[in-house]
Amino acid sequence: ASGEYNGSSVFATDNGDYATWTPNLPVAGTYDVYAWWSYHPLRATNAPYTIDHAIDSTTVRVDQADSSIANDWFYLGTFQFDAGTGGSITITRESDATYTSADAVKFVPVID
C-alpha cells in the first residue's frame, strides 16, 4: 500500500486480528482523536475503531477503502481521557474486507 504513516504500515488479514494504541497522556482532559491508514482498494469498508475513554467506550466505523479519506489524519471524535494509560484505541479486523489497516492514531488536547 502507499501513503503509510511515517514510512511503515501494518495490516490484518485474519478475522479477529486487532491493534491497540495506549497513550500515556500527561493530563486528564478532552482530546480530539484521529486515525491514519494507508489506502488499498481491498481495505475494510466498515472498520471499527473502539475508543475506550474516561466516560465509556465508543466505536466509530470508517471506510478504509475510500481513497478520498485515506493517507491523512481522519477525525474519529472528541473524548474525555484520564491522565496516564487508562484509555486506548483498538481497531479490529472483521469479515467485510481482505485487509484492515492499523497505521497510527494521535491525541490532540482540546484547549478551552
Side-chain angles (χ1 to χ4, degrees):
S2 62
E4 63 274 346
Y5 182 76
N6 208 20
S8 67
S9 179
V10 177
F11 62 90
T13 58
D14 294 330
N15 279 344
D17 284 350
Y18 66 93
T20 300
W21 296 268
T22 303
N24 189 2
L25 298 172
V27 296
T30 304
Y31 289 81
D32 289 337
V33 177
Y34 297 84
W36 181 295
W37 61 89
S38 56
Y39 172 73
H40 190 283
L42 297 178
R43 292 271 190 246
T45 59
N46 202 20
Y49 284 86
T50 301
I51 301 100
D52 289 319
H53 48 90
I55 297 170
D56 201 355
S57 178
T58 303
T59 299
V60 177
R61 293 188 174 267
V62 300
D63 183 356
Q64 290 189 337
D66 181 347
S67 63
S68 70
I69 59 173
N71 305 331
D72 200 355
W73 290 112
F74 181 83
Y75 173 74
L76 296 175
T78 301
F79 305 95
Q80 291 289 121
F81 289 93
D82 294 327
T85 58
S88 65
I89 310 294
T90 299
I91 184 167
T92 304
R93 196 263 186 197
E94 293 179 343
S95 62
D96 78 320
T98 304
Y99 306 108
T100 300
S101 177
D103 278 5
V105 297
K106 75 175 175 176
F107 298 78
V108 178
V110 174
I111 307 301
D112 293 329

